[in-house]
Amino acid sequence: MKAAVDGVVPLEKLGPSPTLEPREVISSVMAALHRSNWDSPTPFYGFEVALRFLAPTHQAKQKKAKPAGFSRFMRQPHKVGQISWNEYRFEGPVIELKGAGADGCDEVYQMCSMRASPSEEWMSTRWKLVLSVSDFGEYVSQPQWLVEAVFANEPDTQEDVEFLRSKQPGAGSEAREADEPRVVVDRVMHALRRMDEPYPLHGAAMATRYCSPRNRASELNPEVFARYLEDPWYSILVEWDEKAEDDDDEGDETGCATDTRRCTKEVDVLVRRDGEDSYTMVSWELSQYDGNWLIDSLNII
């Protein structure tokens, strides 16, 4: 566990480096976002340093956020826990998803809990880092780990989706769009059906990669998650042979729920094994976290 000493967290790393491991990158961002570094030595300095560790595919970088804007973004009620921490700890190992990151880069995931004081409850976050290479024209940087997203307990609100959007006409037109909910579900279902392709337990790693912090499965490593799928109740997820969309599935797949400000979507899929007469419905509930659609829960009917 790491904690502030006398309310101060030193800034040991001021920018990314090919020599930094994923946990070192996370610790560097955490230090930059600690209140003792918000405005020292200059206004919004900590947020400026944190932005340096973000991948080009992070939504703040996509929207060309400045330190002041990033500060406002992080001060929202459901995100402020990430900048008001006084102690944090890593939960479980770093989980690597080989060759499946943006532009073919590797991805890693790390669970991290944080809280503002010893008397408060821990808040869970899951960090996604990608191995990124920067092209400066005259030279190309060595691969280095950068933060693409931080998934916190609470999903995005509709305001989050718009918050970092550039006000300039046409700006951000080349921004990476988040995968739609059904695309995420299809990707996970096909990965689970081919569990060990292209390497052992790839399907389980892919599934946990798309689990939200609200989903307890996000805390499991691929080996443990795969064992859960041996249960007869869940086995259909790895044994299905035929898949169809539910004709009664209604609503905008990428919209926010109409009865709440959370960006939430339910996706229903019908599956069955060869030789079975009837379909089994798998109902997936997803929410947006840091601009990414992640799985909160599933129900097999």
Side-chain angles (χ1 to χ4, degrees):
M1 185 172 68
K2 300 186 179 182
V5 178
D6 296 327
V8 176
V9 176
L11 275 176
E12 298 178 355
K13 308 293 182 183
L14 300 181
S17 167
T19 63
L20 295 180
E21 295 296 325
R23 283 191 173 185
E24 293 177 299
V25 173
I26 294 173
S27 294
S28 298
V29 175
M30 291 290 291
L33 293 178
H34 188 266
R35 63 176 62 84
S36 62
N37 296 311
W38 288 354
D39 299 304
S40 178
T42 58
F44 307 112
Y45 181 72
F47 298 95
E48 176 186 338
V49 172
L51 282 169
R52 298 171 188 167
F53 288 92
L54 303 187
T57 45
H58 189 286
Q59 61 175 338
K61 283 298 187 74
Q62 292 278 302
K63 303 304 180 183
K64 298 179 172 59
K66 303 298 183 183
F70 189 51
S71 169
R72 291 193 301 272
F73 181 68
M74 296 303 298
R75 291 173 192 266
Q76 296 179 95
H78 60 295
K79 294 184 180 293
V80 72
Q82 299 176 48
I83 64 172
S84 60
W85 69 272
N86 193 57
E87 55 187 18
Y88 71 93
R89 65 190 183 194
F90 294 117
E91 307 282 4
V94 174
I95 296 177
E96 181 177 355
L97 191 61
K98 300 177 182 178
D103 300 324
C105 294
D106 285 354
E107 299 178 7
V108 296
Y109 297 85
Q110 174 66 63
M111 292 294 297
C112 180
S113 297
M114 59 191 72
R115 61 184 179 183
S117 69
S119 61
E120 296 191 18
E121 294 185 0
W122 291 97
M123 182 185 81
S124 296
T125 59
R126 187 155 59 98
W127 295 64
K128 174 186 177 183
L129 290 83
V130 295
L131 201 57
S132 180
V133 175
S134 298
D135 188 348
F136 297 100
E138 296 182 356
Y139 73 96
V140 177
S141 69
Q142 296 183 21
Q144 55 191 3
W145 290 108
L146 297 175
V147 177
E148 186 174 83
V150 181
F151 309 127
N153 279 339
E154 291 297 322
D156 295 350
T157 65
Q158 192 161 6
E159 285 76 8
D160 282 320
V161 179
E162 304 293 334
F163 197 92
L164 291 174
R165 183 164 294 173
S166 173
K167 302 301 182 182
Q168 299 177 3
S173 59
E174 298 180 358
R176 178 182 62 89
E177 295 295 332
D179 290 328
E180 295 185 357
R182 187 169 292 280
V183 173
V184 171
V185 169
D186 286 345
R187 184 172 296 149
V188 170
M189 292 195 69
H190 283 280
L192 289 175
R193 187 62 182 87
R194 299 172 177 83
M195 176 64 72
D196 296 318
E197 299 176 13
Y199 56 85
L201 297 178
H202 171 266
M206 179 69 74
T208 55
R209 171 254 188 271
Y210 282 107
C211 288
S212 78
R214 286 189 165 193
N215 190 331
R216 294 297 300 273
S218 66
E219 302 175 10
L220 304 178
N221 62 41
E223 291 81 4
V224 175
F225 184 81
R227 288 201 293 271
Y228 273 97
L229 299 178
E230 297 174 1
D231 186 288
W233 182 258
Y234 294 108
S235 62
I236 186 65
L237 296 173
V238 296
E239 295 175 354
W240 62 270
D241 296 297
E242 184 179 349
K243 179 169 70 71
E245 296 182 7
D246 180 20
D247 292 335
D248 294 329
D249 190 24
E250 299 179 353
D252 179 6
E253 289 189 354
T254 58
C256 292
T258 57
D259 60 341
T260 175
R261 305 184 80 175
R262 287 176 51 202
C263 294
T264 303
K265 173 62 184 176
E266 185 173 298
V267 176
D268 295 332
V269 181
L270 300 174
V271 292
R272 65 180 176 184
R273 302 175 181 87
D274 284 342
E276 292 183 339
D277 295 328
S278 60
Y279 283 94
T280 296
M281 178 182 289
V282 184
S283 182
W284 306 75
E285 182 175 299
L286 300 88
S287 299
Q288 272 194 315
Y289 297 80
D290 214 24
N292 294 258
W293 286 100
L294 300 178
I295 299 165
D296 288 326
S297 63
L298 68 83
N299 187 29
I300 299 176
I301 304 172

